Amino acid sequence: KGEDGSSNDAEPSGFVAQEKKKRDVMESNSHLLRVANFEGAPEVVLPFETIEFVFNHKNLYVNMQHEDPTSIRYHFHKKDNWYPFVNFQDAKGEDLIWTSEFTSFYNTKTMRPALTSKICRKLMTALLREIKDAITTVRSTANLASKWKPLSDSITILIERALVDEENYIAKRIKKSEYTELLAQWRKEMKSHVPLGYRIRYMTTHFNYLDAVRIKNVVVDNGGPFFKNGINRTMLAIGGMIFPFYNGVVSGRIMVVTMFPKVEDEGDADE
């Protein structure tokens, strides 16, 4: 107690009381506050801009509030926040919520898992062999010999690295500036593997299916002039990567590289 006999347990006043009241409001409405409103806190990027409704196997709830996900109360039992789409009334006129499950009008299927890295490597190895044979045949019809680098060669490893970088850039996992730097470094390393007095060209293709015959035909048909360069002393290399997703969906990339003697006054530019 104080000197006047009063208790020290009285309600706080002044600045302390204001801060307590402010804290209580923040705690009760914390789900309504944007993260960006907190000084120094990073802004959260959500995968969606609005939420119109939420559903499960028992009901569909329509959002009756603000559509901004950061300003929504997720109390589904409150009809002023979320109105149940499936709604009945009893004899007294009171609302009853459907408690049974909704069954689909089609046969649902479980999504298959993504292909393993071992299977992807096996599929790509078989595909690259078919493409190599097809390109060799195309060049043979033009009386051009083909000398292939083995799939274990260091150039093939560089090709695979470039395809991984390209996939990451297309999928927006890395920024354009970072990809540009990686590509410049890759070109520099590739040139170090090219024999003196040779030029290098490369062609890439992308596919999202696993039909080997179709992929082979696309590569050969689109690369006709690229493969028939009229130069016999041409060395070739090929590499590919399969990036697997669920349910058999894939993103595949293949690169074919040709290295051939420079022609006088042709310059040093590679393609």
Side-chain angles (χ1 to χ4, degrees), residues 119-129 151 160 207 239-242 252-254:
I119 292 177
C120 290
R121 176 67 64 179
K122 185 177 180 179
L123 290 172
M124 180 54 71
T125 300
L127 177 58
L128 294 180
R129 285 173 180 165
L151 293 179
E160 292 177 351
F207 55 89
M241 294 292 293
I242 293 178
R253 299 185 182 278
I254 292 176

Side-chain angles (χ1 to χ4, degrees), residues 60 77 121-122 191 237:
L60 183 149
H77 62 282
R121 176 67 64 179
K122 185 177 180 179
K191 287 184 178 180

Side-chain angles (χ1 to χ4, degrees), residues 178-191:
E178 183 179 355
Y179 176 66
T180 301
E181 292 180 5
L182 291 171
L183 186 59
Q185 178 63 28
W186 176 81
R187 285 174 173 166
K188 184 178 179 181
E189 292 183 40
M190 281 293 288
K191 287 184 178 180

Side-chain angles (χ1 to χ4, degrees), residues 124-194:
M124 180 54 71
T125 300
L127 177 58
L128 294 180
R129 285 173 180 165
E130 285 201 30
I131 295 176
K132 284 174 63 176
D133 291 342
I135 294 174
T136 300
T137 300
V138 169
R139 288 179 56 83
S140 296
T141 58
N143 296 322
L144 297 173
S146 302
K147 182 180 179 181
W148 288 93
K149 292 281 187 179
L151 293 179
S152 59
D153 192 84
S154 56
I155 287 185
T156 303
I157 297 175
L158 282 173
I159 290 175
E160 292 177 351
R161 195 182 80 188
L163 296 177
V164 171
D165 292 340
E166 183 179 27
E167 177 71 14
N168 288 334
Y169 170 64
I170 297 300
K172 297 183 179 180
R173 299 187 189 102
I174 59 176
K175 297 180 179 180
K176 184 177 180 180
S177 57
E178 183 179 355
Y179 176 66
T180 301
E181 292 180 5
L182 291 171
L183 186 59
Q185 178 63 28
W186 176 81
R187 285 174 173 166
K188 184 178 179 181
E189 292 183 40
M190 281 293 288
K191 287 184 178 180
S192 67
H193 288 74
V194 178

Side-chain angles (χ1 to χ4, degrees), residues 93-112:
E94 296 182 358
D95 291 336
L96 296 176
I97 304 301
W98 180 260
T99 57
S100 301
E101 293 187 3
F102 294 119
T103 57
S104 61
F105 59 87
Y106 58 91
N107 293 327
T108 57
K109 295 182 179 180
T110 303
M111 293 183 66
R112 301 193 305 274

Side-chain angles (χ1 to χ4, degrees), residues 68-115:
D68 185 351
T70 63
S71 302
I72 292 177
R73 290 177 180 267
Y74 294 95
H75 304 314
F76 295 102
H77 62 282
K78 293 186 177 182
K79 295 180 65 173
D80 57 340
N81 292 340
W82 298 92
Y83 188 83
F85 188 80
V86 179
N87 199 8
F88 303 94
Q89 290 185 341
D90 61 10
K92 297 181 181 179
E94 296 182 358
D95 291 336
L96 296 176
I97 304 301
W98 180 260
T99 57
S100 301
E101 293 187 3
F102 294 119
T103 57
S104 61
F105 59 87
Y106 58 91
N107 293 327
T108 57
K109 295 182 179 180
T110 303
M111 293 183 66
R112 301 193 305 274
L115 299 176

